[in-house]
Amino acid sequence: MVDSPSFETLIKSPVIPVIVLSEVQLAIPLTEVLIDSGLTVIEITLRTEVAIPAIRMISNAFPKAIIGAGTVTTNEQIFLARDAGASFAISPGISQKMYQAANSSSLPFLPGVATPSEILMAKEAGFSICKFFPSEELGGVERLEMFAQIFPDMKFCPTGGISEANLASYLSLASVPVVAGSWIAPEVLILAKDWVEIEARAQRALEIVGKTGKA
Ligand code: 3PG
C-alpha cells in the first residue's frame, strides 16, 4: 500500500509554497528565505528542467527541509524525485499506474482529486489525504464542506487559487490540515530575487495560520 506523506510531516507547516523554478541558482537563496520564515515543507514543481537538480541541491543543503516534488504526471518522475532526495511526490491527479509506481518507489505520494469518484479511488488505494485541485475553480470551501459530509475521514490539501484572502476559510475546515499555493513565492518574485516580499508573504501566511489554531 502507498504511503501518504505522513500527516505529521505535512502539518508541520500548514502552508506549502508551490515553487516554479527556472533558474537553479535561485534554489538555495529561495529555500533559505522560506525556511527562515518558518515554512519548512516546500513543493518544487517538475515543470521546469531545473526542478530535479534543484530538489537535489536543496535536499543536500537543507537536510531539515521537507521537499515535495510537485506536478508529477509520469511514473518516471516519481523515481527521479525520490533519487534527487524528495520527501514526497504530489500529482495533480490520480491513476492506478501512478500509485503503483509510488508504491514500488516507496516515496510517499499525495494524489490529486477533483471528484467523488477520484476520492473513492484514492480511498480504495489507502490514501487518507489528497490534494484537492484546482480548488477555487471546483468550488473551494463549499465543495470541501460537501465532501466532508460524504467522506468524513478524508483530509485534503486544497491547491489552486489559494491566497491570503481565502487561506483562513480553508484552514478553518476540519478536513483541511494544510494548503498549498504559489502566492507566497510566485515565479515573478523569485526571478526578481525579491526575498523581502517573499519573506513578508510567508510571515503574513503564518500569522493567518496562527489565528486558525493550525500552527
Ligand atoms: C499547483 O501546481 O499545485 C498549482 O498550480 C498551484 O496553484 P496556484 O498557482 O493557484 O497557487
Side-chain angles (χ1 to χ4, degrees):
M1 186 150 300
V2 189
D3 278 341
S4 301
S6 86
F7 202 66
E8 290 71 27
T9 299
L10 282 176
I11 61 170
K12 264 187 193 151
S13 194
V15 175
I16 302 177
V18 173
I19 307 298
V20 178
L21 199 63
S22 47
E23 293 184 20
V24 76
Q25 71 274 16
L26 299 178
I28 297 293
L30 170 65
T31 307
E32 202 158 22
V33 171
L34 293 173
I35 288 180
D36 286 352
S37 307
L39 299 176
T40 50
V41 182
I42 299 167
E43 173 183 339
I44 306 288
T45 62
L46 302 191
R47 293 184 205 165
T48 62
E49 284 185 5
V50 306
I52 290 288
I55 290 172
R56 189 172 294 111
M57 279 173 76
I58 296 168
S59 306
N60 286 333
F62 302 94
K64 286 194 184 143
I66 298 164
I67 306 302
T71 322
V72 167
T73 56
T74 69
N75 295 353
E76 190 198 6
Q77 288 173 324
I78 293 178
F79 292 93
L80 286 172
R82 179 198 64 185
D83 295 346
S87 299
F88 62 97
I90 310 178
S91 177
I94 179 166
S95 81
Q96 201 160 11
K97 276 192 185 157
M98 191 165 281
Y99 70 69
Q100 278 164 358
N103 194 17
S104 53
S105 75
S106 300
L107 189 65
F109 184 61
L110 189 69
V113 295
T115 65
S117 298
E118 290 163 3
I119 297 170
L120 271 180
M121 193 192 275
K123 259 173 77 79
E124 284 169 11
F127 292 102
S128 55
I129 181 163
C130 297
K131 169 172 173 157
F132 177 56
F133 178 77
S135 183
E136 279 293 289
E137 281 183 34
L138 295 172
V141 167
E142 279 180 27
R143 178 61 62 96
L144 286 165
E145 280 170 340
M146 189 194 81
F147 283 162
Q149 290 173 28
I150 307 168
F151 304 104
D153 299 332
M154 186 57 88
K155 304 282 184 207
F156 297 94
C157 173
T159 310
I162 316 293
S163 67
E164 275 172 30
N166 56 22
L167 176 60
S169 48
Y170 276 103
L171 287 176
S172 70
L173 301 176
S175 62
V176 174
V178 56
V179 307
S182 64
W183 87 95
I184 291 173
E187 199 176 4
V188 63
L189 290 184
I190 298 172
L191 287 173
K193 300 185 192 169
D194 195 342
W195 313 132
V196 172
E197 176 61 18
I198 292 173
E199 185 180 8
R201 290 180 181 212
Q203 284 171 354
R204 289 201 297 270
L206 283 170
E207 275 165 29
I208 295 169
V209 171
K211 285 182 192 154
T212 66
K214 287 199 171 156

